[in-house]
Amino acid sequence: MTQVFNKDILQGKVAFVTGGGTGITGGVARAFAEHGAKLAIVSRKEENLAAMKAEVEAFGGECFTVAADVREYEAVEAAIAKTAEHYGKIDIVVNGAAGNFLCAADQLSPNGFGTVVDIDTKGTFNVCRAAFDELKKSKGQILNISATLHYLATPMQIHVSAAKAGVDAITRNLSVEWGRHGIRVNGIAPGPIEDTEGMKRLLMPELKDKLVRKIPVGRFGRIVDIENAALFLASDAASYVNGVTLVVDGGSWLLGTSLM
Ligand code: COA
């Protein structure tokens, strides 16, 4: 895909990205760095952080890494504090850390359900809450990575559906409560994105051809589609966009077809 946005649209901004080592959120983090932002990426896994840091530094970007579990508030607070100390501020927070697996509701343990809710929903709140003072100072913004699973119903995904419904509630609530502080809060709900580990793991190859025919625009999404949506929301072009979860799914969920 050709370059859509000017390379400097996030120049001087500091972006704190959870789950920023891999997958969709890793793409968003890298795209932010390619458009001028200084990155802080947070993941439980050191190896994911090191790979993204090397990739970003290879094209001349800056990438600060912090290993932390978003379920642990004190670890999140420390990650925010270290980032603010390192860069002097935080302008953009991206909540991308997530847990996912396929499991039927009657097989899922309460701890399995709670684990995903803890990572996605509580983790998103933890990061927003811990970043509030910094975002208030910078008149910054939050971008929550959500899903479309809960718009209708997605079998085998009750845990993620409940967790992402909670994330969307956080997006709406904080956009109202924190808008007055100059903090914009938005989300992105990716549809079926082809080039992710999640899709490779969740989608059986034999179903792929069948499913692609049900996507209104005739193709699966790509990580770059989410990167471009995130760049728009993070840029000044979206300065009056607040409380929105932008669906980037080629129109898939409107057909009511479970693609995940
Ligand atoms: N099917 C059913 N239950 C599962 C499961 C699966 N595939 N994977 C985990 N669980 C359950 C566990 O059985 C456990 O419940 P129990 O104590 O009642 O047995 C609970 O979830 C916690 O599992 P555990 O492995 O201890 O948690 P964790 O904190 O180490 O990791 C995940 C949980 C979800 C993050 C882990 O499964 C994972 O790493 N997934 C891949 C990462 C991912 O999907 N990222 C996001 C892409 S969208």
Side-chain angles (χ1 to χ4, degrees):
M1 191 176 284
T2 52
Q3 185 74 38
V4 176
F5 299 102
N6 280 344
K7 279 284 187 188
D8 62 353
I9 55 169
L10 299 181
Q11 201 65 43
K13 303 286 185 193
V14 173
F16 179 95
V17 185
T18 72
T22 57
I24 288 174
T25 316
V28 169
R30 198 205 63 257
F32 279 12
E34 284 172 345
H35 290 78
K38 295 171 185 172
L39 285 185
I41 56 170
V42 180
S43 169
R44 276 195 298 169
K45 294 182 188 146
E46 293 275 2
E47 65 266 26
N48 293 342
L49 295 171
M52 180 56 74
K53 183 178 170 67
E55 194 180 337
V56 169
E57 288 178 348
F59 62 76
E62 283 185 58
C63 188
F64 180 68
T65 62
V66 195
D69 188 329
V70 294
R71 290 172 283 191
E72 294 163 16
Y73 187 71
E74 283 178 10
V76 170
E77 264 191 320
I80 292 281
K82 282 182 202 162
T83 302
E85 192 185 325
H86 183 78
Y87 287 125
K89 62 170 184 166
I90 297 172
D91 301 289
I92 303 167
V93 165
V94 181
N95 284 297
N100 200 359
F101 50 80
L102 291 175
C103 190
D106 62 1
Q107 300 298 311
L108 182 63
S109 73
N111 191 39
F113 183 92
T115 296
V116 173
V117 170
D118 278 350
I119 298 169
D120 294 23
T121 318
K122 194 174 159 195
T124 294
F125 176 77
N126 284 347
V127 174
C128 293
R129 178 69 186 82
F132 174 69
D133 287 340
E134 286 299 328
L135 293 174
K136 193 175 158 186
K137 273 190 266 174
S138 64
K139 298 205 182 302
Q141 58 169 297
I142 294 167
L143 190 56
N144 294 326
I145 306 299
S146 187
T148 60
L149 305 170
H150 52 294
Y151 292 179
L152 296 169
T154 308
M156 316 284 281
Q157 293 274 264
I158 191 171
H159 41 314
V160 186
S161 301
K164 294 300 193 185
V167 168
D168 290 354
I170 289 171
T171 299
R172 286 191 292 268
N173 265 70
L174 293 186
S175 70
V176 170
E177 291 195 39
W178 293 358
R180 74 192 63 172
H181 298 295
I183 302 170
R184 291 191 295 118
V185 187
N186 292 299
I188 293 179
I193 304 297
E194 193 172 31
D195 47 349
T196 61
E197 265 312 301
M199 184 63 104
K200 282 178 206 149
R201 206 171 51 243
L202 297 178
L203 193 60
M204 286 172 278
E206 58 270 26
L207 284 178
K208 237 179 131 179
D209 288 348
K210 200 172 152 196
L211 290 179
V212 79
R213 287 196 293 274
K214 296 183 180 172
I215 299 173
V217 299
R219 67 166 175 89
F220 282 102
R222 294 182 286 262
I223 292 176
V224 70
D225 294 312
I226 309 305
E227 292 171 14
N228 286 331
L231 283 164
F232 163 67
L233 287 173
S235 76
D236 290 344
S239 61
Y240 202 53
V241 181
N242 186 33
V244 161
T245 295
L246 180 62
V247 179
V248 186
D249 76 338
S252 299
W253 85 268
L254 293 167
L255 283 177
T257 312
S258 286
L259 292 165
M260 287 294 288

